[in-house]
Amino acid sequence: MGVHNNIHIPKESWPYWTWFAIEFFIVLAVGALSSREIVRLFEKTLVDPGMQNWLFFGVIGAIFVAWYMVIRRLVFKRPILENRW
């Protein structure tokens, strides 16, 4: 059986930077949706409408910092994720 050189290899054809863009938009969506729910909890209490905006973007910022500074570093340092072959 002969070798075909027209095989699709995703690693070579898919641009590497798009994985970072996909990850960014997933973190942004999770941050925005969870921030919306957290702001709704405080909507009827002590927080006035002017502070709700600050609270909304503060929670999104906290989720970004938690993901990119803490969780992502811990997850990607795991030895099980290393490619050893």
Side-chain angles (χ1 to χ4, degrees):
M1 204 172 241
V3 176
H4 299 284
N5 61 355
N6 60 352
I7 297 173
H8 175 70
I9 302 171
K11 185 176 181 183
E12 294 178 0
S13 63
W14 187 270
Y16 186 70
W17 63 270
T18 55
W19 293 115
F20 293 113
I22 291 169
E23 176 189 5
F24 171 79
F25 287 115
I26 289 173
V27 172
L28 182 66
V30 168
L33 293 174
S34 61
S35 180
R36 181 185 66 180
E37 296 301 320
I38 291 172
V39 170
R40 279 189 188 171
L41 291 174
F42 294 107
E43 189 175 34
K44 298 174 185 171
T45 59
L46 302 173
V47 181
D48 61 341
M51 286 301 290
Q52 287 177 4
N53 197 20
W54 286 97
L55 182 63
F56 179 79
F57 286 108
V59 171
I60 290 178
I63 289 172
F64 265 90
V65 168
W67 174 255
Y68 283 109
M69 296 294 196
V70 180
I71 299 169
R72 190 173 192 267
R73 288 185 183 188
L74 292 175
V75 168
F76 289 141
K77 283 187 179 181
R78 306 302 282 180
I80 197 167
L81 296 175
E82 292 179 4
N83 191 359
R84 296 184 183 209
W85 56 73

